[in-house]
């Protein structure tokens, strides 16, 4: 490791302190490692227990209105563009397909399991939900729609309504089939089209299920990654006699209130248990705490909680200092991103000034261009790299821990709420009300020392020998994710995808590991595109990423179509050589991410499973993200576009 910014011998650094903190981090991580890793959870959808399975049902779909709509799809028809998922990823693809001239709205069909637009923001409606990155950067297409978010961190309902706004502006509403699962996407070698098999689940409950088959020229997989609510396999959980629900399916019938009116009067005489203390819980718990008679918070690992500093948008100020010129939203995203990738220029202003921009060591996860002379040839140089991240991170995490002392009066409780892992192991959380809540007499922290409740009973939850009787259990236990590095784009979304000669996308990944051009298309699967961070870049602000993936992919399609002319169709396929060349660029830099391996278990590091055999290690390296950060990646794919040759793509023209 040779660049100045990655040296460990910075003056004034207390290396003994760093060592002792790292030792504590390692002990805490070790305490949480489990052989069953991700298998400790089960998805609500796949639960055998009917009670748990029922918790997965869509509480929000307006079946009467949806049943009255004419169906947007006709069986066997060929659609030019087919999009799996109608969250921001799917919407942005459709918008850019239209804006690039590759498609009209009429050419596009979207399908979503949900009963409306918004993806994450459709399903998650729990009280306290806001975006955790500034709304001026997070809500996409603000310039194009003219919308101004009401707050620095917009509430969930406003973000969902923005998704609806985008769908309406680009006439996508009557092109979208809701309440439908895409089951498989299969390439037909003779017609050279995709066949999509899907299941429409009309409501209310008990209504017949309808199978559909449609065909399409271009398919875009935008089915998200945080879509399958999961619960830990806590023995006896389903036997709990009171109401229980997952935060991704909030039950306002039980709590009272609604997404817009979060007066949870139904909790006033209730003892409520919350399992989980990560990003979702940090938003929901203070709202529950306002109303519940007693609140029991079952903590396995403390979140790291930074200040929120919420503000209402002042229109004049917004116009004067945020939306200052065309292209401001992208400029703002890039300005913010340069802090996350520890690559600001001297004198660069910090436009957003939030709790992301003061933690440069998050670049251990996001990548950084500060590695021109990265030397990963020896364990010693890797160790120096990792040590440097810890040096960079310590002031931030010390501030986070001392903030706990500032807000929580009881020192024992404060100690239990302190996070002992580096910043890059989890997504940061932001709240001004979470920590002070523990000073309230009706709020009880049940710290399980890294283990979670040992079992549930009819009456409540048990930790060790102690039973905690409660009336309601709220499951804030996250989502099942495929292995983010080694999982195929099909396994990430739980859809079966078969390409040329019936070859399965999962099988390709199992055999050789990730193999893509720029992260978004793969050989053997023509005219199929997907979003994601593997072999591409991770941005912190997810809609920024979804926006430029959509732009990049629709550039490829529109350019290929332009070459085909109006009376031919273009089949786009990346060559094996081109995807291996891109993969080699990713692999070469993958050791940069070595600091993640030592993280406390969680979905960022596949619950701590470290590949031991060389073949699995190699696959993990192939699936890494672009280690030089987002701006470097955008330059890399931007230069490729500039060449104007669609280098590495084979375009076959068909009548
Ligand atoms: P999603 O929004 O997940 O949409 C995917 C859609 O695909 C879903 O509606 C799903 O129903 C559908 N789908 C899945 N499988 C199928 C199938 N087989 N057939 C048909 N439809 C299917 N990111 C940030 O950057 N900032 C934030 O503040 C932020 N907050 C978040 C808060 C919560 C509670 C969660 C869970 C995530 C948050 N994220 C945040 C991440 C968020 O998921 C992304 O920002 C973004 O919304 C993802 O958009 P998407 O379209 O890729 O996926
Ligand atoms: P996570 O997977 O991040 O967290 C799940 C929580 O459940 C963790 O605290 C976990 O503890 C806990 N848990 C799991 N099993 C048990 C158990 N057996 N006993 C006790 N606790 C248990 O899910 P979230 O829904 O919180 O967040 C998912 C992602 O969604 C975030 O990372 C973020 O990207 C996004 N998000 C963003 C938000 C925003 O503010 N805009 C809000 C919500 C989510 P442990 O850490 O020990 O595994």
């Amino acid at each position: 490791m040779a660049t100045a910014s990655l040296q460990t011998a910075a003056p004034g650094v207390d290396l003994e302190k760093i060592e002792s903190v790292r030792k504590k981090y390692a002990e805490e991580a070790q305490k949480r490692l489990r052989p069953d890793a991700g298998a400790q959870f089960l998805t609500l959808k796949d639960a055998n227990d009917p009670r748990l399975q029922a918790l997965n049902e869509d509480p929000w779909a307006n079946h009467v209105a949806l049943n009255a709509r004419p169906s947007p799809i006709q069986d066997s028809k060929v659609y030019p563009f087919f999009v799996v998922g109608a969250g921001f990823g799917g919407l942005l693809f459709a918008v850019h397909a239209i804006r690039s001239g590759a498609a009209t709205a009429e050419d596009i069909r979207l399908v979503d399991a949900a009963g409306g637009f918004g993806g994450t923001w459709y399903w998650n409606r729990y009280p306290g939900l806001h975006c955790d990155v500034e709304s001026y950067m997070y809500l996409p297409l603000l310039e194009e729609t003219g919308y101004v978010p009401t707050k620095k961190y917009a509430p969930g309902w406003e973000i969902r309504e923005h998704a609806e706004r985008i769908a309406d502006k680009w006439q996508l509403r009557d092109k979208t089939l809701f309440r439908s699962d895409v089951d498989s996407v299969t390439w037909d070698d003779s017609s050279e089209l995709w066949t999509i098999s899907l299941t429409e689940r009309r409501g209310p409950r008990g209504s017949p299920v309808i199978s559909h088959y449609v065909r399409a020229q271009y398919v875009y997989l935008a089915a998200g990654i945080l879509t399958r609510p999961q619960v830990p396999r806590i023995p006896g959980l389903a036997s709990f006699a009171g109401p229980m629900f997952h935060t991704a399916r909030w039950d306002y019938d039980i709590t009272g209130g609604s997404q817009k009116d979060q007066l949870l009067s139904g909790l006033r005489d209730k003892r409520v248990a919350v399992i989980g203390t990560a990003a979702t819980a940090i938003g929901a718990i203070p709202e529950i705490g306002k109303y519940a008679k007693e609140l029991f918070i079952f903590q396995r690992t403390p979140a790291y909680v930074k200040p929120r500093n919420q503000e209402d948008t002042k229109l004049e100020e917004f116009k004067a200092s945020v939306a200052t010129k065309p292209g401001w939203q992208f400029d703002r995203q890039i300005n913010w991103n340069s802090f996350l990738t520890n690559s600001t220029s001297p004198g660069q202003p910090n436009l957003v000034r939030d709790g992301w921009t003061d933690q440069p060591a998050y670049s251990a996860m996001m990548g950084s261009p500060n590695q021109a002379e990265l030397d990963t040839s020896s364990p010693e140089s890797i160790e120096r790299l990792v040590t440097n991240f810890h040096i960079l991170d310590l002031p931030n995490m010390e501030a986070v821990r001392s903030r706990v002392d500032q807000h929580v009066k009881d020192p024992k409780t404060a100690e239990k709420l302190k996070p002992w892992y580096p910043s890059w192991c989890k997504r940061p959380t932001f709240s001004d009300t979470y920590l002070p809540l523990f000073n309230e007499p009706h709020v009880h922290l049940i710290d399980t020392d890294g283990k979670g409740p040992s079992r549930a009973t009819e009456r409540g939850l048990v930790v060790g020998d102690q039973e905690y009787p409660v009336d309601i259990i709220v499951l804030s236990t996250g989502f099942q994710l495929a292995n983010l590095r080694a999982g195929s784009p099909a396994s990430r979304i739980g859809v079966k995808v078969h390409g040329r000669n019936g070859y399965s996308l999962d099988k390709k990944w199992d055999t050789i590991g990730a193999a893509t051009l720029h992260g978004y298309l793969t050989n053997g699967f023509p005219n199929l595109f997907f979003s994601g961070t593997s072999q591409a870049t991770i941005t912190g602000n997810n809609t920024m990423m979804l926006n430029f993936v959509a732009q990049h992919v629709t550039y490829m399609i529109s350019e290929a179509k332009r070459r085909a002319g109006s009376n031919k169709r273009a089949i786009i396929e990346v060559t094996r050589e081109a995807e291996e060349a891109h993969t080699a660029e990713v692999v070469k830099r993958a050791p940069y991410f070595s600091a993640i391996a030592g993280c406390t278990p969680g979905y960022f590091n596949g619950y701590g499973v470290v590949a031991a055999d060389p073949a699995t290690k190699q696959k993990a390296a192939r699936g890494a993200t672009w280690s030089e950060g987002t701006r470097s990646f955008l330059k890399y794919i931007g230069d490729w576009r500039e060449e104007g040759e669609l280098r590495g793509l084979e375009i076959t023209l068909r009548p």
Side-chain angles (χ1 to χ4, degrees):
M1 178 60 40
T3 52
S5 66
L6 296 178
Q7 291 293 336
T8 56
V13 170
D14 181 349
L15 284 175
E16 268 179 37
K17 173 92 187 269
I18 299 284
E19 276 319 300
S20 80
V21 167
R22 283 184 71 177
K23 190 160 166 276
K24 170 93 171 150
Y25 287 173
E27 284 163 8
E28 291 294 325
Q30 189 62 34
K31 212 187 261 179
R32 290 167 173 81
L33 274 177
R34 305 167 48 127
D36 51 357
Q40 68 184 283
F41 299 107
L42 102 161
T43 62
L44 293 178
K45 190 175 179 187
D46 301 327
N48 283 329
D49 187 283
R51 177 170 187 204
L52 293 181
Q53 210 176 68
L55 299 185
N56 195 49
E57 276 176 23
D58 181 346
W60 320 116
N62 180 341
H63 292 299
V64 174
L66 289 168
N67 290 345
R69 284 167 30 128
S71 178
I73 62 160
Q74 284 170 30
D75 281 1
S76 305
K77 196 168 168 187
V78 179
Y79 294 101
F81 288 80
F82 187 90
V83 185
V84 185
F88 283 128
L91 287 169
L92 284 164
F93 175 82
V95 169
H96 286 298
I98 295 167
R99 283 165 63 98
S100 70
T104 62
E106 193 44 55
D107 293 334
I108 302 170
R109 291 296 180 276
L110 299 96
V111 170
D112 200 299
F117 293 102
T120 286
W121 306 97
Y122 173 87
W123 293 109
N124 292 272
R125 303 192 190 193
Y126 59 83
L129 172 60
H130 295 81
C131 47
D132 62 3
V133 299
E134 193 199 54
S135 56
Y136 315 143
M137 293 189 306
Y138 182 74
L139 271 65
L141 302 170
L142 287 184
E143 291 178 79
E144 294 78 356
T145 55
Y147 184 69
V148 180
T150 59
K151 290 177 187 299
K152 185 162 181 174
Y153 301 98
W157 62 263
E158 186 176 341
I159 304 175
R160 181 168 53 77
E161 286 184 1
H162 188 61
E164 304 266 346
R165 179 176 297 111
I166 291 171
D168 287 332
K169 180 170 167 74
W170 279 275
Q171 277 113 44
L172 297 167
R173 188 173 292 277
D174 62 348
K175 318 296 182 309
T176 306
L177 179 70
F178 293 116
R179 303 176 300 178
S180 301
D181 291 321
V182 170
D183 304 315
S184 65
V185 177
T186 310
W187 179 253
D188 175 7
D189 287 311
S190 56
S191 65
E192 295 184 300
L193 293 168
W194 288 101
T195 303
I196 299 111
S197 140
L198 47 108
T199 309
E200 185 179 2
R201 292 169 287 93
R202 291 167 80 88
R205 200 173 184 189
S207 303
V209 163
I210 308 170
S211 298
H212 296 285
Y213 294 90
V214 295
R215 291 185 299 157
Q217 226 176 313
Y218 299 104
V219 171
Y220 188 60
L221 305 179
I225 53 168
L226 297 165
T227 56
R228 289 169 276 182
Q230 67 179 11
V231 287
R233 296 173 194 268
I234 297 172
L237 189 61
S239 70
F240 175 64
M244 175 165 71
F245 55 87
H246 192 281
T247 46
R249 307 282 188 273
W250 191 268
D251 194 336
Y252 284 103
D253 287 345
I254 291 168
T255 64
S258 65
Q259 194 188 18
K260 278 192 177 172
D261 161 24
Q262 296 179 353
L263 198 147
L264 310 179
S265 53
L267 300 182
R268 282 212 164 103
D269 55 350
K270 297 289 189 300
R271 297 164 300 178
V272 182
V274 179
I275 308 178
T277 50
T280 292
I282 298 316
I285 283 172
E287 300 310 308
I288 303 171
K290 282 182 196 163
Y291 299 97
K293 186 173 82 179
E294 280 195 276
L295 173 55
F296 296 84
I297 297 158
F298 290 81
Q299 169 181 276
R300 193 165 72 168
T301 308
Y304 75 100
V305 190
K306 305 190 78 176
R308 162 66 92 187
N309 297 329
Q310 175 68 297
E311 284 171 24
D312 289 340
T313 304
K314 294 170 200 77
L315 196 56
E316 287 316 309
E317 210 174 294
F318 177 82
K319 284 186 193 153
S321 62
V322 178
T324 49
K325 57 178 191 314
W328 66 265
Q329 192 176 38
F330 180 71
D331 289 352
R332 197 168 180 86
Q333 291 169 339
I334 285 289
N335 174 285
W336 181 80
N337 184 271
S338 65
F339 288 88
L340 272 69
T341 52
N342 191 22
S343 59
T344 52
S345 339
Q348 179 187 316
N350 182 348
L351 297 180
V352 177
R353 293 189 309 279
D354 64 1
W356 293 87
T357 58
D358 65 2
Q359 46 179 40
Y362 210 65
S363 54
M365 172 72 181
M366 297 279 124
S368 175
N370 287 338
Q371 47 169 311
E373 297 161 59
L374 178 69
D375 166 16
T376 51
S377 58
S378 68
E380 290 75 25
S381 57
I382 296 273
E383 172 54 23
R384 274 202 301 279
L385 169 73
V386 175
T387 303
N388 188 69
F389 282 125
H390 282 283
I391 294 172
L392 206 55
D393 197 43
L394 194 62
N396 171 53
M397 289 310 284
E398 295 257 276
V400 165
R401 287 188 283 267
S402 75
R403 186 165 179 262
V404 181
D405 289 325
Q406 287 154 24
H407 287 280
V408 180
K409 287 183 191 143
D410 173 41
K412 280 195 188 141
T413 307
E415 254 348 277
K416 288 178 184 156
L417 286 165
K418 288 183 185 166
W420 287 101
Y421 46 82
S423 64
W424 59 82
C425 293
K426 286 184 183 285
R427 199 161 166 100
T429 70
F430 303 94
S431 175
D432 299 329
T433 48
Y434 178 73
L435 292 171
L437 195 68
F438 292 92
N439 299 323
E440 306 267 345
H442 70 295
V443 176
H444 314 286
L445 176 67
I446 313 300
D447 180 53
T448 63
D449 198 22
K451 295 188 180 56
S454 41
R455 64 193 171 89
T457 65
E458 264 179 49
R459 289 170 303 279
L461 293 164
V462 178
V463 175
D465 295 335
Q466 169 120 27
E467 183 182 36
Y468 296 89
V470 292
D471 302 306
I472 298 171
I473 295 181
V474 178
L475 301 158
S476 186
T477 47
F479 304 87
Q480 191 188 62
L481 277 92
N483 184 324
L484 288 182
R485 281 181 156 206
S488 84
S491 77
R492 293 202 288 259
I493 61 169
V495 171
K496 294 186 193 77
V497 179
H498 292 89
R500 287 195 193 281
N501 305 313
Y503 194 45
S504 135
L505 193 50
D506 284 341
K507 180 91 179 154
K508 179 169 179 179
W509 256 242
D510 285 349
T511 310
I512 60 169
T516 72
L517 182 68
H518 305 156
Y520 311 139
L521 65 164
T522 188
N523 174 265
F525 298 80
N527 289 354
L528 178 84
F529 303 88
F530 36 84
S531 63
T533 56
S534 169
Q535 295 209 337
T537 181
I538 184 165
T539 46
N541 174 2
N542 287 294
T543 57
M544 175 194 190
M545 182 270 285
L546 295 170
N547 199 39
F548 64 67
V549 180
Q551 281 170 322
H552 192 54
V553 164
T554 54
Y555 163 81
M556 291 179 188
I557 299 173
S558 60
E559 202 42 39
K561 281 172 72 82
R562 194 181 59 74
R563 290 169 195 207
S566 56
N567 55 355
K568 293 235 167 43
R569 58 193 176 101
I571 296 168
I572 305 168
E573 186 169 3
V574 56
T575 64
R576 274 291 291 139
E577 295 71 31
E579 68 182 13
E580 279 309 313
H582 175 66
T583 304
E585 292 295 318
V586 171
V587 169
K588 180 160 92 185
R589 298 165 170 88
Y592 169 87
F593 294 108
S594 298
I596 298 171
C599 272
T600 187
Y603 77 83
F604 276 24
N605 68 344
Y607 292 93
V609 178
V610 180
D613 65 293
T616 316
K617 273 189 182 157
Q618 178 64 5
K619 277 187 203 155
R622 289 176 69 102
T625 52
W626 188 257
S627 76
E628 290 177 17
T630 303
R631 278 188 304 170
S632 156
F633 182 75
L634 287 179
K635 177 159 182 352
Y636 169 74
I637 62 173
D639 287 350
W640 179 89
R641 283 201 300 267
E642 281 286 299
E643 287 172 11
E645 291 168 17
L646 299 181
R647 185 166 42 89
L649 297 184
E650 239 166 40
I651 314 290
T652 314
L653 304 184
R654 291 280 185 257

